Each structure stands twice: as structure tokens, then as C-alpha cells.
């Protein structure tokens, strides 16, 4: 039997850094370090925030009554890397260098995760890992093809939470993830509907570049000529149109809120327009689930619904009514990203899961 290990999970976001400390699988604390716009405004680039976020994380640990020297293993979200297959990767100098550039994905605070973890790991002589990073790409070649030569579909989904949910589902039912086929739907501010075929995410919509169902903040699929019309209407700058499609679309554009509970209140008050829009959003999610079933030729063991929106019973019941003919539907609400990071690191340390080496070579570079 291995001694229990203290694991620190690190997940930097746009306005916060979420961290959690685990004693093996038991949570010691889970907190979100807020970063105000004023605090972040002094940094020209996201990479410039590194020292600030390191300092804030150390202060948060002390506030919770823990020294950084207590930590045995660091587990970070990762980001900004060349594409990789899913799994647990040891944080290396090459990984940190690529994250600082960043190598892919555009500037995002996730690129700081491996750098923060490596900083502490080197200081205290401890191991550090990234787990199912945003850069995971396991697509089939056919999943990448578009109708324009040289433009390919990329893998951008809620990989960390989706794979954690899959493992949890398998554990409760005596299944092996690498031997099962699932459609996993992470439905929150954005939605990613993904085909998991025997441990690989072979197809999904793109939550970063824009595709898939309408969601709380995303416009979702639209006739592209109408987007071209918007782009050349003179009403929007490039950034404004990007925000309208990817941050302020969906329920936010219709109702000024990204909170589905606010829309449900309108519906309960007799607002038929709100009911139609929400039902349209559910309908679009159902169609994407159907498309992922096609990607696996109908061989689907279960459809799993997760993410914040799936706490809403009306949403999950209505969505289930469209797709339960494909496979059994399981609802596993919420997000488990910090747990996914810590538990992935523990699997690696125990030898339950292979520790992979980051090469910096993309898994796919075109036809």
C-alpha cells in the first residue's frame, strides 16, 4: 500500500485561479482566487501574469493553513501546448517553454498552469503533471475535413471534465473506458458534444473556434453567409463580432443572462417566447448527440450529460426524450476539473496510468 499523498490541483482561468488541495482522494480545501480587472490591467500579456499568480497562490495556501512544502505532487490543467493525445504528462522544460509562447490555442491563462506547477515542483523537488490538457486531440481524420482546402476542424472540447466523467461512470458500472463507447455532453456556458470511442475522443464540436449547438453564451451553428453579412455590415469590429458569437450569444443574446435558471423563471411566468428559445437550444443539443452516434455507427453504450446546465431537470428531461432511443442516458451534473487533475496525478504516481512524455510534435499536421 502506498502512503497517502498531498496533491495540489491548479486551474488558472480568465478572472480567477481555482485550486484545491487533496489528501489522496479526500479534499482538504477547494477555493477560487479572484483576480480583479484592475489587478490584471497592469499586465500587457497573459504571460506577464505568471509571477503575480504564483504569489497569489502561495498566499491562498497560507490563508487555508497550509505550507507549499506540504505538497507531494502538483497537478496542473495545462494549455498552450502542441496537440497531444489524452493522458497524464510529466511537466518538462520543453512543455513550459511551449506554454509560455504559447505554442497553440492563442493566449489564455491556462498556459500558466504548467509553468506555475513547475515553479513549485522545482523549488521543493516534487513531481508535477498536466492531465488531459485543453490541447488533447484524438480526432479521426474524417472528423477534420471541411469544404475548404487547407482548413481543418480542430479538437477543442471540455476534455478534462469529460474524461473524468467517463471514468466515474465506468467505475460505477464495472466498465473499462478504453473498451466502451460514450457520447458525453458537457453543457455549461458553452457546450461540447463528443464521441468517445474506446478511450479516444474521435469527434466533437469546437467550443473555441465556434461550432455546435447554441448554448448559454455561444451562438452555435448558423448559416455562414449570414455571418459574412454581419462581418461586413459595418456594425461590428472583428473583436465585437467574435464576442457576439462566442461570449454574448445564445441565451445571453436573447435574454441578457447566461443563467438558465433566469430563463426557466420566465417560462414559469408564462413567457412562451422564452420557452421556444430554450426548447430550440435543447433541440440543437439533441441533433449533435445524434451526429456523434453516427460517428460511432450507432455503437453507443451510454449518453452522459454533465456540466452546470444539467442541474436543470427540465433541460435534461427534455433532452433525454429526444435521444434515449440511441442509448441509456445518465445525468451527472456539475464540473469535476480539480478532482480530475488530482486523481489523474494519483493514477500516474501509483502506476495505474502511464506517465507520458511531451514531445512538442503535434499529433496531426494536415493532409
Amino acid at each position: 500500500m502506498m502512503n497517502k499523498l498531498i496533491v495540489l490541483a491548479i486551474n488558472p482561468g480568465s478572472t480567477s485561479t481555482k485550486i484545491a488541495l487533496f489528501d489522496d482522494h479526500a479534499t482538504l480545501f477547494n477555493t477560487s482566487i479572484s483576480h480583479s480587472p484592475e489587478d490584471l490591467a497592469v499586465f500587457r500579456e497573459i504571460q506577464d501574469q505568471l509571477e503575480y499568480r504564483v504569489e497569489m497562490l502561495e498566499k491562498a495556501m497560507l490563508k487555508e493553513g497550509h505550507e507549499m512544502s506540504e505538497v507531494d505532487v502538483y497537478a496542473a490543467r495545462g494549455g498552450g501546448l502542441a496537440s497531444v493525445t489524452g493522458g497524464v504528462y510529466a511537466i518538462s522544460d520543453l512543455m513550459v517553454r511551449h506554454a509560455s509562447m504559447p505554442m497553440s490555442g492563442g493566449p489564455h491563462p491556462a498556459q500558466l498552469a504548467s509553468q506555475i506547477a513547475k515553479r513549485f515542483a522545482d523549488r521543493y523537488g516534487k513531481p508535477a503533471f498536466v492531465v488531459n490538457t485543453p490541447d488533447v486531440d484524438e480526432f479521426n481524420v474524417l472528423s477534420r475535413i471541411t469544404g475548404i482546402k487547407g482548413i481543418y476542424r480542430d479538437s477543442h472540447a471540455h476534455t478534462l471534465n469529460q474524461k473524468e466523467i467517463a471514468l466515474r461512470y465506468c467505475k460505477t458500472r464495472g466498465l473499462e473506458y478504453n473498451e466502451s463507447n460514450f457520447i458525453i455532453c458537457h453543457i455549461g456556458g458553452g457546450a461540447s458534444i463528443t464521441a468517445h470511442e474506446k478511450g479516444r475522443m474521435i469527434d466533437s464540436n469546437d467550443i473555441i473556434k465556434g461550432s455546435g449547438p447554441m448554448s448559454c453564451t455561444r451562438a452555435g451553428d448558423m448559416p455562414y453567409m449570414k455571418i459574412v453579412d454581419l462581418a461586413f455590415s459595418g456594425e461590428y469590429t472583428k473583436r465585437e463580432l467574435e464576442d457576439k458569437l462566442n461570449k454574448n450569444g445564445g441565451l445571453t443574446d436573447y435574454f441578457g443572462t447566461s443563467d438558465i435558471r433566469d430563463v426557466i423563471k420566465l417560462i414559469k411566468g408564462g413567457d412562451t417566447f422564452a420557452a421556444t428559445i430554450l426548447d430550440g437550444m435543447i433541440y440543437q443539443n439533441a441533433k449533435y448527440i445524434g451526429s456523434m452516434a453516427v460517428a460511432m455507427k450507432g455503437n453507443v453504450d451510454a449518453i452522459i450529460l454533465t456540466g452546470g446546465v444539467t442541474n436543470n431537470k427540465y433541460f435534461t428531461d427534455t433532452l433525454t426524450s429526444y435521444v434515449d432511443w440511441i442509448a441509456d442516458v445518465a445525468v451527472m451534473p456539475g464540473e469535476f476539473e480539480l478532482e480530475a487533475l488530482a486523481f489523474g496525478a494519483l493514477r500516474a504516481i501509483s502506476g495505474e496510468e502511464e506517465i507520458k512524455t511531451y514531445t512538442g510534435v503535434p499529433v496531426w499536421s494536415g493532409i
Side-chain angles (χ1 to χ4, degrees):
M1 294 288 291
M2 290 184 59
N3 293 328
K4 289 186 176 182
L5 298 173
I6 303 297
V7 185
L8 179 63
I10 305 168
N11 186 1
S14 297
T15 59
S16 67
T17 301
K18 295 177 182 178
I19 63 171
L21 194 66
F22 296 85
D23 182 355
D24 202 66
H25 288 78
T27 305
L28 297 177
F29 76 83
N30 183 325
T31 191
S32 180
I33 308 165
S34 296
H35 307 303
S36 70
E38 293 76 21
D39 289 338
L40 297 180
V42 301
F43 303 107
R44 182 177 178 182
E45 305 290 345
I46 286 174
Q47 183 60 32
D48 299 335
Q49 300 175 15
L50 178 60
E51 299 298 334
Y52 161 77
R53 298 230 187 192
V54 166
E55 181 180 348
M56 293 294 287
L57 197 156
E58 288 182 293
K59 289 180 178 178
M61 283 281 287
L62 291 173
K63 184 178 179 180
E64 296 290 342
H66 295 276
E67 299 281 348
M68 194 63 72
S69 58
E70 297 175 33
V71 177
D72 297 308
V73 186
Y74 296 90
R77 181 184 181 190
L81 310 177
S83 59
V84 295
T85 55
V88 181
Y89 289 79
I91 298 177
S92 63
D93 291 337
L94 175 63
M95 180 184 291
V96 166
R97 185 163 71 251
H98 280 185
S100 67
M101 295 166 56
M103 183 75 167
S104 67
H108 187 280
Q111 73 189 69
L112 302 173
S114 59
Q115 300 179 69
I116 294 170
K118 187 74 157 57
R119 180 73 60 87
F120 292 124
D122 287 349
R123 183 186 301 176
Y124 296 104
K126 305 293 184 178
F129 305 98
V130 295
V131 181
N132 288 322
T133 81
D135 314 291
V136 167
D137 184 346
E138 299 170 334
F139 271 16
N140 287 337
V141 172
L142 296 183
S143 304
R144 306 178 188 277
I145 303 302
T146 75
I148 297 182
K149 184 179 179 180
I151 295 181
Y152 301 104
R153 295 178 64 245
D154 298 320
S155 175
H156 295 126
H158 296 92
T159 304
L160 183 59
N161 192 55
Q162 285 204 19
K163 284 189 177 270
E164 174 67 16
I165 286 293
L167 292 172
R168 291 183 179 214
Y169 180 88
C170 288
K171 187 174 182 179
T172 62
R173 288 160 176 82
L175 301 173
E176 293 293 331
Y177 175 52
N178 291 337
E179 298 175 1
S180 305
N181 291 348
F182 302 122
I183 300 170
I184 303 184
C185 314
H186 181 118
I187 307 170
S192 56
I193 316 295
T194 308
H196 292 244
E197 185 176 67
K198 294 181 169 43
R200 293 176 54 245
M201 298 170 60
I202 64 165
D203 200 351
S204 185
N205 62 293
D206 190 328
I207 59 169
I208 301 297
K209 296 298 183 180
S211 70
M214 164 190 162
S215 68
C216 295
T217 61
R218 265 73 159 190
D221 290 339
M222 294 174 59
Y224 51 76
M225 294 305 292
K226 293 188 177 184
I227 297 176
V228 172
D229 289 341
L230 286 177
F232 287 90
S233 67
E235 297 180 22
Y236 305 96
T237 64
K238 181 176 183 290
R239 178 61 180 271
E240 288 170 344
L241 185 54
E242 288 174 346
D243 287 349
K244 185 173 184 64
L245 295 171
N246 225 32
K247 292 182 179 180
N248 303 316
L251 297 185
T252 303
D253 191 56
Y254 279 105
F255 305 107
T257 177
S258 62
D259 193 330
I260 191 174
R261 293 171 296 185
D262 295 333
V263 181
I264 293 293
K265 287 178 183 178
L266 292 175
I267 295 170
K268 288 181 176 179
D271 190 327
T272 57
F273 175 76
T276 299
I277 298 304
L278 182 59
D279 285 347
M281 173 174 153
I282 296 170
Y283 176 73
Q284 291 178 29
N285 277 269
K287 288 202 299 182
Y288 257 87
I289 290 172
S291 71
M292 293 302 119
V294 169
M296 294 187 290
K297 298 183 178 179
N299 297 316
V300 182
D301 294 306
I303 299 165
I304 308 173
L305 310 181
T306 188
V309 168
T310 63
N311 283 292
N312 184 270
K313 193 172 186 300
Y314 175 81
F315 188 97
T316 56
D317 284 352
T318 307
L319 182 54
T320 297
S321 72
Y322 278 108
V323 300
D324 58 0
W325 59 273
I326 298 172
D328 289 341
V329 179
V331 181
M332 301 175 68
E335 298 180 4
F336 304 92
E337 292 188 335
L338 291 170
E339 292 89 345
L341 292 172
F343 301 166
L346 287 171
R347 291 194 301 273
I349 288 290
S350 69
E352 182 182 344
E353 185 168 333
E354 172 194 4
I355 299 174
K356 295 183 176 181
T357 299
Y358 176 72
T359 65
V361 180
V363 297
W364 191 81
S365 56
I367 298 174

